[in-house]
Amino acid sequence: MSLIEVRALTKTYRQAVRQPGLRGAFRHLVHQRYTERVAVDHIDMSIERGETVAYVGPNGAGKSTTIKMLTGILVPTSGEITVDGIVPHKRRMENARRIGVVFGQRTQLWWDIPVIETLSLLRDIHEMPAQEYRKNLDFLTELLGLDEFMHLTARRISLGQRMRADLAAAFLHSPAIVYLDEPTIGLDIAVKERIRGFIKQVNRELGTTVMLTTHDLGDIQDLCRRIVIIDHGRIIFDGALAEMTDAFARERVLHFQLRTPCPTAEQELQRIPNVTVSGLSDTELSVRFDRAFISARDITGAIMQIADVSDFRIDEPSIDHVIKRVYDGTLNLAVRKGGGA
Amino acid sequence: MRLILRAWRRNAYLYRRIMGQNLRAALEYQSDFLLSVGSAMLTQVLGLVFLGVVFSRIPTINGWGFWQIVFIYASIFLTEGFASLFFEGTWRIGYFVNHGELDRILLRPLSPAVQLLSSAIGMNGIGNLLVGGVMIGESLTHVHMVWTPGKILFSVILLLSGIVIRTSINFASNCSAFWVKNAGNAVPFMVHSISEFAKYPLTIYAPALQALVGIVVPYAFIGYVPAGYVFSTSGMAWIAVLCPLVALYCAAVAGLILRTGLRQYESTGN
């Protein structure tokens, strides 16, 4: 059995319908109306020990709701979850001993006490032996550079420092699974890289399973081999990152630099099916095409016959681009559902 | 049984640890601390002055003398002092629920009740404790009575019961935040203001009000019933036996409300 097993997991929120204005408020007081909003809709997922999984989707897709059910904060409306053999919301505290969580938007630290005291309180809460605490603290201090701000309260440290402290708090008790909900949100590149490096190292050295939600495609590319995409509460892709780019990032763009202007080139190329051409200037052309229908060689061949090409380059699509198109609804990945790891 | 005992010991230890940190943080804002203690004391002294004015015209109320009523009055303050000094966190439940901060609490392997109770320290409680304590001391020296070790022991139990009852009522009423989802939830303040009635002997009220303060929201078991025991008011001593039971009952109800609330907690976006 996998470390995390999710079957037909569903969460429905009940929302009050309120008319605008004072009259609406009064009317709501007397006659309450509610609508149901399905945040997570029958999702299935299995995650193995030691995996790093990117859990991606546009705002409001159901990412955080899923994480909150996996951590036991929310009780599912229906469906099943087991995490390391435990049903999280039924045995929340037991589950809490084995997991670490970072919500990028919100700190887990005690606001008014020094970071080191927070860690020491967490040691007691997790009933860690002194030796293990010492060892983990040294490890985290070195990797995350906690020294700089260890003795300051959470209130006084910067966002980047706070995130590092939050990561330390999440990893302190050597959890088997760590859920990171947007851990690099609002951070500068230097801190992002440090945090990514840290996550990679912990995953490699301690075999910690990592589930990461993010809007930062650098995070995904850097950290995760597997990607799960959720939209409107449903999982629309689950598979290897490389597989996704191979299968769906088929679009390429060829950029040509012409030595002399060639007014007919654009029209000529336009005749080839499945190709869109845009001329940037008299001597610059961009050709967008689908690799499945036509090759770069054919296009280059065609243009060489009519124009004097001085230089060209080819743009590969980024994951960024693919995911953006999935969000926009222009790329339908439904066929790839349940691809597996 | 051993396991339960161990869990309670752990809870008590962690509660102390967290409160110790809260205390250190609170003491950093010294002027704030002195101000809140001072204003709490002033409020109560004014209440007492009011009571004095009433008694200068009416020597007894329903058979209760001035110092006996001072005792009831002060019991309400004393337990309020304990509740705010040690369990101020009850008043922050609404904040935790409305801001999704409860998430953080649910992610730690420690009872949510312990974490909520220890989430704040109410230094103004010291003012209530001081005034309440002095008033009770005064009232006991002004009324003649015989103290036996048994009576002292049971009086301490009554005080502890009173603290549990008050904290439980605060806790339960603040848990209404799980259902009343707006920032200015008035339920806990409404319930808290009922304790105003409990500052005087229950018998001066109409039956409906007696039922409210004696049964529905049993504040009467904090001041009035213990006073009946301490001053050996006829027919009331045996009712005081109920105090520890009422305390257990209140704590159990509060726990049940918390559990029900947690089951349907919806966190916040993101």
Side-chain angles (χ1 to χ4, degrees):
Chain A
M1 196 163 131
S2 308
L3 186 63
I4 300 177
E5 285 276 358
V6 171
R7 292 285 159 263
L9 184 65
T10 301
K11 179 72 190 179
T12 309
Y13 291 114
R14 208 170 69 132
Q15 287 177 320
V17 183
R18 217 169 284 191
Q19 255 86 54
L22 199 59
R23 247 183 75 187
F26 274 115
R27 190 182 284 175
H28 180 74
L29 210 57
V30 190
H31 181 70
Q32 304 205 325
R33 277 172 47 213
Y34 293 94
T35 51
E36 300 220 313
R37 189 174 69 82
V38 183
V40 171
D41 192 1
H42 294 86
I43 65 169
D44 298 301
M45 198 189 317
S46 317
I47 294 175
E48 304 297 331
R49 210 171 282 276
E51 269 194 284
T52 46
V53 178
Y55 193 46
V56 183
N59 289 324
K63 298 187 300 281
S64 289
T65 303
T66 313
I67 299 284
K68 282 174 185 171
M69 287 192 282
L70 288 173
T71 51
I73 293 174
L74 293 179
V75 180
T77 309
S78 66
E80 285 164 33
I81 310 174
T82 52
V83 176
D84 206 359
I86 287 180
V87 179
H89 68 271
K90 286 194 180 143
R91 287 156 72 188
R92 195 167 0 86
M93 282 206 264
E94 205 172 327
N95 185 52
R97 288 180 186 279
R98 308 179 197 186
I99 63 167
V101 184
V102 172
F103 288 120
Q105 311 264 27
R106 186 178 291 146
T107 184
Q108 316 284 310
L109 309 167
W110 275 272
W111 206 235
D112 287 315
I113 71 177
V115 171
I116 183 69
E117 295 293 344
T118 289
L119 296 176
S120 149
L121 273 180
L122 287 172
R123 172 196 64 193
D124 285 356
I125 289 176
H126 283 283
E127 299 173 276
M128 293 174 71
Q131 206 182 357
E132 190 193 348
Y133 175 69
R134 204 62 255 165
K135 200 182 107 219
N136 288 3
L137 188 63
D138 289 345
F139 176 74
L140 294 166
T141 305
E142 196 197 313
L143 246 65
L144 292 166
L146 302 180
D147 290 328
E148 302 167 30
F149 54 86
M150 216 174 213
H151 298 284
L152 298 175
T153 60
R155 190 187 288 283
R156 285 194 207 150
I157 60 182
S158 72
L159 181 64
Q161 293 173 331
R162 207 213 76 201
M163 201 65 86
R164 278 142 71 193
D166 257 313
L167 282 164
F171 282 89
L172 184 69
H173 52 285
S174 340
I177 309 165
V178 171
Y179 302 97
L180 306 170
D181 196 356
E182 304 194 32
T184 57
I185 193 164
L187 301 181
D188 65 48
I189 285 290
V191 180
K192 268 184 192 174
E193 304 236 302
R194 176 166 213 162
I195 286 178
R196 286 177 194 158
F198 166 76
I199 296 169
K200 255 194 279 192
Q201 189 167 348
V202 173
N203 171 257
R204 201 173 48 229
E205 284 180 17
L206 308 174
T208 310
T209 307
V210 178
M211 187 167 180
L212 174 87
T213 84
T214 184
H215 288 293
D216 189 310
L217 297 141
D219 287 350
I220 304 173
Q221 247 158 338
D222 218 11
L223 295 172
C224 304
R225 239 169 279 147
R226 177 175 164 199
I227 182 166
V228 177
I229 305 180
I230 184 172
D231 194 16
H232 294 108
R234 290 168 189 267
I235 287 178
I236 55 175
F237 179 83
D238 181 349
L241 191 57
E243 191 188 326
M244 184 181 84
T245 29
D246 281 354
F248 302 106
R250 299 188 312 208
E251 199 179 78
R252 298 282 185 277
V253 183
L254 267 167
H255 300 278
F256 294 101
Q257 184 83 50
L258 308 182
R259 197 160 288 145
T260 51
C262 177
T264 53
E266 196 172 328
Q267 291 161 9
E268 284 294 322
L269 287 171
Q270 205 73 267
R271 277 189 221 148
I272 310 171
N274 301 310
V275 159
T276 38
V277 188
S278 51
L280 299 170
S281 70
D282 283 353
T283 55
E284 281 173 298
L285 275 179
S286 292
V287 185
R288 189 178 292 272
F289 65 100
D290 187 328
R291 207 177 52 166
F293 298 111
I294 189 162
S295 72
R297 206 182 71 176
D298 294 345
I299 293 173
T300 322
I303 198 167
M304 294 284 203
Q305 285 178 359
I306 48 174
D308 188 3
V309 177
S310 66
D311 196 7
F312 71 92
R313 67 187 160 83
I314 186 159
D315 274 355
E316 304 250 330
S318 59
I319 306 173
D320 180 336
H321 193 71
V322 179
I323 293 175
K324 191 163 166 291
R325 285 182 58 202
V326 175
Y327 292 176
D328 292 346
T330 51
L331 189 59
N332 187 2
L333 293 185
V335 280
R336 293 296 310 156
K337 184 176 172 175
Chain B
M1 193 63 206
R2 274 245 314 276
L3 275 176
I4 295 172
L5 219 66
R6 199 184 154 274
W8 274 90
R9 275 232 312 275
R10 174 170 176 262
N11 284 343
Y13 169 71
L14 289 170
Y15 170 82
R16 272 210 321 273
R17 280 275 278 127
I18 299 170
M19 284 306 273
Q21 291 294 345
N22 287 341
L23 181 66
R24 272 175 53 179
L27 290 177
E28 278 186 32
Y29 305 94
Q30 214 175 27
S31 57
D32 198 37
F33 158 67
L34 292 172
L35 209 66
S36 63
V37 171
S39 69
M41 286 173 77
L42 192 66
T43 323
Q44 273 130 73
V45 172
L46 284 177
L48 198 66
V49 169
F50 171 74
L51 204 64
V53 171
V54 172
F55 269 90
S56 65
R57 302 190 160 253
I58 315 158
T60 64
I61 296 178
N62 271 19
W64 293 77
F66 175 72
W67 288 109
Q68 289 176 324
I69 292 188
V70 166
F71 180 91
I72 300 176
Y73 199 91
S75 302
I76 295 295
F77 278 129
L78 190 68
T79 52
E80 173 76 6
F82 277 110
S84 45
L85 184 58
F86 296 110
F87 308 113
E88 181 71 8
T90 49
W91 292 96
R92 290 183 51 175
I93 295 174
Y95 169 80
F96 279 105
V97 172
N98 286 319
H99 291 78
E101 295 284 327
L102 198 63
D103 293 5
R104 171 162 54 112
I105 280 177
L106 297 177
L107 293 172
R108 295 187 191 130
L110 174 61
S111 142
V114 172
Q115 291 189 67
L116 287 170
L117 287 172
S118 64
S119 64
I121 187 164
M123 299 305 270
N124 58 323
I126 292 178
N128 281 323
L129 277 179
L130 284 176
V131 176
V134 168
M135 278 160 70
I136 285 189
E138 280 293 302
S139 72
L140 292 180
T141 53
H142 281 83
V143 180
H144 175 74
M145 69 187 94
V146 184
W147 286 99
T148 62
K151 187 163 181 176
I152 293 172
L153 180 69
F154 194 65
S155 299
V156 171
I157 292 176
L158 290 179
L159 175 65
L160 293 177
S161 302
I163 296 168
V164 172
I165 292 170
R166 186 176 264 284
T167 305
S168 301
I169 293 174
N170 285 347
F171 196 96
S173 63
N174 275 286
C175 277
S176 59
F178 283 107
W179 293 272
V180 185
K181 283 170 189 152
N182 59 45
N185 177 15
V187 174
F189 299 103
M190 225 170 66
V191 173
H192 188 260
S193 60
I194 293 174
S195 72
E196 291 295 315
F197 294 119
K199 288 178 180 169
Y200 307 96
L202 201 60
T203 45
I204 67 169
Y205 299 116
L209 214 48
Q210 289 190 17
L212 178 70
V213 185
I215 299 166
V216 183
V217 193
Y219 283 123
F221 289 88
I222 295 175
Y224 172 66
V225 175
Y229 169 78
V230 169
F231 300 120
S232 312
T233 310
S234 62
M236 276 190 65
W238 68 269
I239 300 180
V241 176
L242 290 176
C243 284
L245 299 177
V246 172
L248 287 178
Y249 168 77
C250 288
V253 170
L256 194 70
I257 293 177
L258 174 66
R259 270 184 55 177
T260 316
L262 284 179
R263 272 200 69 79
Q264 58 122 57
Y265 170 63
E266 288 198 337
S267 188
T268 52
N270 253 304

